[in-house]
Amino acid sequence: MKLYRLLTEDDTSAFCHKVTAALNKGWELHGSPAYAFDAAKGVMRCAQAVVKDAPGTYTPETKLGEQ
């Protein structure tokens, strides 16, 4: 199955660590990162899509973060 996740986080090192952890679990970057201002929190937010091929059949109960 082909899996997709959109990783998001405030613009801190936590975002870089989240993406790095996904890459080390076999996820691959998909497209360019995005960067936007979150007016409600008053901070910049980052987003990066990642994809991964994994065995099995996708269901809505699939725990993407555990793949």
Side-chain angles (χ1 to χ4, degrees):
M1 70 180 141
K2 186 82 157 180
L3 302 174
Y4 170 90
R5 292 176 67 195
L6 181 64
L7 306 176
T8 61
E9 185 65 58
D10 290 351
D11 183 22
T12 66
S13 63
F15 176 73
C16 295
H17 289 289
K18 187 182 281 191
V19 173
T20 299
L23 294 173
N24 280 282
K25 290 182 179 180
W27 292 84
E28 297 180 11
L29 300 178
H30 182 74
S32 299
Y35 195 60
F37 183 68
D38 180 343
K41 291 178 67 178
V43 298
M44 294 301 291
R45 300 272 300 171
C46 301
Q48 174 64 59
V50 292
V51 294
K52 182 179 185 179
D53 287 317
T57 302
Y58 172 78
T59 69
E61 290 76 34
T62 300
K63 303 291 187 206
L64 298 175
E66 296 174 6
Q67 300 297 316

